[in-house]
Amino acid sequence: MKTLPFLLEKEFKQMARHLFLPKMFIIFPVIMTLLLPWAADPSIDNIPLALVDRDASPRSLRLARALTATGDFRLATRPPSFPLALEDISAGRAEIILEIPPRFSADLQREGRATLLIAANGVNGTRGGLAAAALATLVGETAGGNPLPLQLHTLQRFNPTADYKPFMIPALLVMLMTLLCGFLPALNIVGEKESGTIEQINVTPVGKFTFIAAKLIPYWLLGAVILAYGILLANLFYGLTPAGSIGTIYLFALLFVPGIAGMGLIVSNHSATMQQAMFVMFFFLILFLLMSGFFSPVESMPAWARAIAACNPLKYFVQAIRAVYLKGSAAADLREQLLALAAFALLTNAWAVWSFRKSS
Amino acid sequence: MTAAIEIDALAKHFGATGALNGVTVNVERGEIFGLIGPDGSGKSTLFRLLVTLLLPDGGRATVEGLDIVKDFLKIRARVGYMPGRFSLYPDLTVEENLHLFATLFGVRVEDNRPLIQRVYSHIEPFRRRRASALSGGMKQKLALSCALIHRPSVLFLDEPTTGIDPVSRAELWETLADLKRQGVTVMVSTPYMDEARLCDRVALMQSGRFLDVASPPEIVARHGTTTWAARAERMSKLLTDLRAHPTVETCYAFGDRHHVTPRPGASPLLLRAAMETLGHRQVEISEILPGIEDCFIRIAGQPPREP
């Protein structure tokens, strides 16, 4: 254990001398917080609409105006028939079609009801579905011209404007921690294997616990700094501040980072080359990201997928950090997530120490 | 007093093939013990077993009386190991590498300075240079300095002179002689036969076995036979023609000459005449003293390294 400070000094020296790594620590979080929330935003905005108005009555004109007034849709084309509207979709001029039948106004007048046709481009299923639902709601609200006796109000609790960013950025911080604190230690150890330096260390009396600690601690510290940096950037660019305490976020990071770093170590212990380690880590990263509730809620996954997600540390950290940012939850409200992350950290680190063999 | 290294029927298998098929030898304290053999003959595996990087599949071995399986931690504190491939941190400087290894062994560089002085003095002017920027010879000197910094009583060197210049090679062997005088036991593998002569004893290795273990003069006395050195204008055609001649038992290329082992009753003069009849010009054939490499070929039926 006496040698630990010297091994740590060596790790930091090597990190600082790396040409690429220190730059990445600075640039990566900026790019992630600046670009990704915009790119990964699934909410609908400015969708090109093809309106087939075969009624051409004052009422149908009013409807068309009302639809484009919200900004969610813009009137892209006005084809005279449905087949021509479909051509607009094929050509990419429109994403969604609203067909108003010839007797729309008359039917509404006489029978108090009318039928409209909405057809959305399903190539991007999520966007198409969302756009169709939004259009249906809009039409329902404005078509009648007179207010319905029953009014429906939707309220987004904790995120009143249903803005995508306060929801996405905390999760991006988790992704950042995963990449920097899970990937890098794994590649670091495999790098020592590839260059043969690990052999030279292995013939010294340094214990395996000391060696692994010297590999992990720099990334824990780095993770803590990067998290502060990420929180700062989120505040700078989007004015986001966690509703809860930053201390709670750090408590979760304190459990998550050793867990994911431990996982990286396990991968490196079982890989002989950088390429192999990289491939396995990518596999887990993609699996973890898609099954974490990062993009789509875990609750709406099938039972087997929920079972896999239950073993996913990212799921718990994403849940916790979103809860702290948006709801202001305290650690006591997030006991399940806390316990799950602690268990994951214990498991991976025990496995990492066990699987790190100095001789075979 | 036990021997510095005791090896008894030590074996290690990788998959189905045996990298080391049971070797036995005792290396005395202060001895320079050489391992001679082609690539894949098990030299590096033997080193890795003795420095506790591998666990044996059979047999046993002790280093300084310590068992390589049970007492591996104690062994690590007392041996120095220089792997065949440069394995220091390329992104740390010369000085930083040396200090790191001193610290890992719990010693100070200044305390053991005299021991490494001879090698380290050559690279000291470059102490602030990163190890990656050193030449091959300087890298080996740094590796040797790092392997010696904790004053090991047994030193393991896996092909320390491969790919470095003749001057550096000579300096390295002077250092080994120095260490021997200070009572350090050295086990060294080398592909160079002239270096084999500098060892107290050598083991000739092939396919994970010791073919013979003895001092270099003994090896020659035991296995050496009449040897001729031959040269002519067209060396590659000469090799083919010599091998085809009925009075030649074996013939191998050795640097700028071919070494011929003749059959009983053959004469160098007649062989020269035969070669001249085949169109060779400026043929010279003379008797020489056989070397270790000639002996190796006689026992193993193959040269210890590619010419």
Side-chain angles (χ1 to χ4, degrees):
Chain A
M1 277 282 98
K2 278 200 313 264
T3 47
L4 184 60
F6 296 94
L7 281 172
L8 285 177
E9 186 193 335
K10 169 209 148 229
E11 294 295 332
F12 278 115
K13 261 183 197 160
Q14 287 185 303
M15 212 183 263
R17 276 177 204 175
H18 206 287
L19 289 173
F20 177 64
L21 228 43
K23 286 182 202 132
M24 186 165 132
F25 295 148
I26 308 284
I27 296 167
F28 197 42
V30 175
I31 291 186
M32 213 127 144
T33 42
L34 264 184
L35 291 184
L36 291 190
W38 302 96
D41 188 346
S43 57
I44 52 159
D45 187 28
N46 205 23
I47 303 228
L49 171 76
L51 181 69
V52 188
D53 187 358
R54 293 168 62 200
D55 188 34
S57 64
R59 185 168 243 156
S60 70
L61 285 174
R62 199 165 65 235
L63 174 64
R65 252 201 321 277
L67 288 182
T68 47
T70 58
D72 287 353
F73 298 94
R74 82 186 144 78
L75 202 54
T77 57
R78 301 191 67 127
S81 70
F82 189 75
L84 285 172
L86 276 178
E87 270 176 32
D88 283 339
I89 290 215
S90 308
R93 288 187 291 266
E95 282 284 318
I96 194 161
I97 306 170
L98 176 67
E99 188 186 20
I100 303 175
R103 298 182 48 78
F104 170 72
S105 190
D107 282 354
L108 206 60
Q109 200 86 51
R110 199 175 316 123
E111 295 166 31
R113 46 185 278 189
T115 315
L116 291 163
L117 176 69
I118 293 174
N121 180 2
V123 171
N124 183 338
T126 319
R127 191 172 150 95
L130 280 170
L135 189 59
T137 314
L138 262 178
V139 170
E141 278 171 5
T142 53
N146 37 16
L148 293 164
L150 188 72
Q151 279 199 332
L152 191 66
H153 284 284
T154 314
L155 228 131
Q156 297 273 347
R157 297 277 319 272
F158 312 117
N159 189 1
T161 55
D163 189 357
Y164 190 64
K165 283 169 215 64
F167 177 70
M168 215 51 202
I169 285 170
L172 281 176
L173 288 178
V174 175
M175 190 165 139
L176 196 66
M177 306 255 90
T178 309
L179 281 173
L180 295 182
C181 303
F183 251 63
L184 293 181
L187 295 181
N188 183 311
I189 292 207
V190 182
E192 288 225 13
K193 267 191 199 174
E194 270 193 346
S195 68
T197 49
I198 204 163
E199 295 248 297
Q200 202 80 66
I201 290 285
N202 279 350
V203 291
T204 69
V206 171
K208 64 176 174 182
F209 188 75
T210 313
F211 182 78
I212 289 194
K215 286 286 171 207
L216 286 182
I217 291 171
Y219 293 99
W220 294 353
L221 296 176
L222 195 73
V225 175
I226 300 265
L227 183 58
Y229 181 51
I231 291 173
L232 193 77
L233 287 178
N235 184 270
L236 219 64
F237 295 142
Y238 303 105
L240 275 187
T241 31
S245 92
I246 290 186
T248 314
I249 296 178
Y250 265 90
L251 177 68
F252 278 96
L254 203 69
L255 288 171
F256 174 76
V257 168
I260 202 79
M263 202 194 94
L265 283 184
I266 297 170
V267 172
S268 72
N269 288 343
H270 293 289
S271 321
T273 63
M274 206 85 122
Q275 215 172 23
Q276 199 184 338
M278 197 88 135
F279 209 75
V280 176
M281 284 307 286
F282 265 122
F283 169 76
F284 277 109
L285 184 79
I286 290 169
L287 194 74
F288 278 177
L289 275 182
L290 291 180
M291 306 214 96
S292 66
F294 196 99
F295 301 107
S296 48
V298 177
E299 289 73 21
S300 54
M301 292 176 188
W304 59 267
R306 281 203 304 274
I308 296 176
C311 312
N312 181 357
L314 259 72
K315 175 193 145 186
Y316 298 103
F317 194 25
V318 166
Q319 281 178 346
I321 199 167
R322 276 178 178 160
V324 175
Y325 252 92
L326 294 167
K327 286 203 291 191
S329 301
D333 308 321
L334 299 162
R335 241 170 283 135
E336 184 205 333
Q337 285 80 358
L338 212 56
L339 283 175
L341 286 179
F344 183 74
L346 270 178
L347 181 79
T348 55
N349 282 281
W351 187 353
V353 172
W354 172 80
S355 64
F356 177 75
R357 279 187 214 96
K358 287 190 75 165
S359 44
S360 53
Chain B
M1 196 76 169
T2 51
I5 306 169
E6 289 183 3
I7 305 171
D8 183 20
L10 198 62
K12 177 74 188 177
H13 301 275
F14 294 120
T17 56
L20 206 62
N21 294 315
V23 297
T24 303
V25 77
N26 283 358
V27 177
E28 300 305 321
R29 263 163 228 284
E31 191 177 10
I32 298 183
F33 189 87
L35 297 178
I36 316 284
D39 289 343
S41 60
K43 301 187 300 286
S44 296
T45 304
L46 180 56
F47 277 119
R48 290 163 56 77
L49 282 165
L50 293 175
V51 299
T52 75
L53 284 174
L54 288 177
L55 291 169
D57 295 329
R60 52 182 297 281
T62 63
V63 175
E64 293 283 359
L66 300 163
D67 188 88
I68 57 163
V69 179
K70 285 200 305 263
D71 306 317
F72 69 97
L73 273 180
K74 286 184 196 152
I75 290 183
R76 284 174 187 170
R78 294 174 67 168
V79 304
Y81 170 50
M82 190 172 144
R85 186 171 142 219
F86 181 72
S87 317
L88 298 175
Y89 289 99
D91 43 1
L92 296 184
T93 66
V94 167
E95 212 170 35
E96 284 165 350
N97 267 301
L98 193 63
H99 275 99
L100 175 71
F101 282 96
T103 318
L104 295 185
F105 281 106
V107 298
R108 293 194 311 160
V109 172
E110 303 79 58
D111 296 341
N112 290 325
R113 195 54 195 271
L115 192 70
I116 61 163
Q117 187 55 38
R118 189 192 272 273
V119 235
Y120 190 61
S121 59
H122 292 110
I123 44 173
E124 205 169 5
F126 312 104
R127 63 182 186 278
R128 295 199 199 289
R129 193 183 276 191
R130 290 194 193 175
S132 56
L134 294 176
S135 72
M138 288 200 280
K139 274 182 181 157
Q140 291 302 76
K141 282 172 191 159
L142 176 59
L144 183 60
S145 303
C146 288
L148 281 173
I149 193 62
H150 59 295
R151 195 172 277 279
S153 53
V154 183
L155 189 60
F156 294 94
L157 306 172
D158 195 355
E159 301 208 354
T161 54
T162 299
I164 70 171
D165 62 283
V167 178
S168 295
R169 274 170 60 190
E171 280 165 1
L172 185 117
W173 278 92
E174 282 168 30
T175 310
L176 296 190
D178 254 11
L179 292 170
K180 173 189 162 69
R181 278 193 286 279
Q182 299 188 44
V184 177
T185 311
V186 180
M187 186 182 259
V188 56
S189 66
T190 176
Y192 300 110
M193 293 305 129
D194 52 335
E195 291 181 352
R197 280 187 284 110
L198 300 168
C199 300
D200 295 316
R201 281 194 300 158
V202 294
L204 304 185
M205 284 188 83
Q206 191 189 33
S207 311
R209 286 193 179 81
F210 285 171
L211 300 173
D212 198 6
V213 181
S215 71
E218 271 179 298
I219 295 260
V220 174
R222 229 180 264 174
H223 305 287
T225 54
T226 312
T227 306
W228 299 339
R231 65 189 294 181
E233 262 184 2
R234 291 156 64 199
M235 290 298 278
S236 62
K237 185 172 186 299
L238 182 69
L239 187 67
T240 324
D241 291 343
L242 282 171
R243 281 179 174 165
H245 199 266
T247 66
V248 172
E249 195 182 321
T250 59
C251 181
Y252 287 96
F254 269 64
D256 60 344
R257 274 151 210 270
H258 298 324
H259 283 196
V260 177
T261 308
R263 292 190 194 280
S267 126
L269 285 173
L270 287 176
L271 187 58
R272 199 183 101 182
M275 289 303 117
E276 278 167 347
T277 321
L278 287 169
H280 287 284
R281 273 179 296 178
Q282 293 178 8
V283 183
E284 285 173 37
I285 297 179
S286 54
E287 182 158 357
I288 52 159
L289 284 175
I292 301 221
E293 196 159 4
D294 299 302
C295 299
F296 191 97
I297 291 171
R298 276 205 70 75
I299 320 172
Q302 74 173 97
R305 67 188 161 106
E306 294 307 310

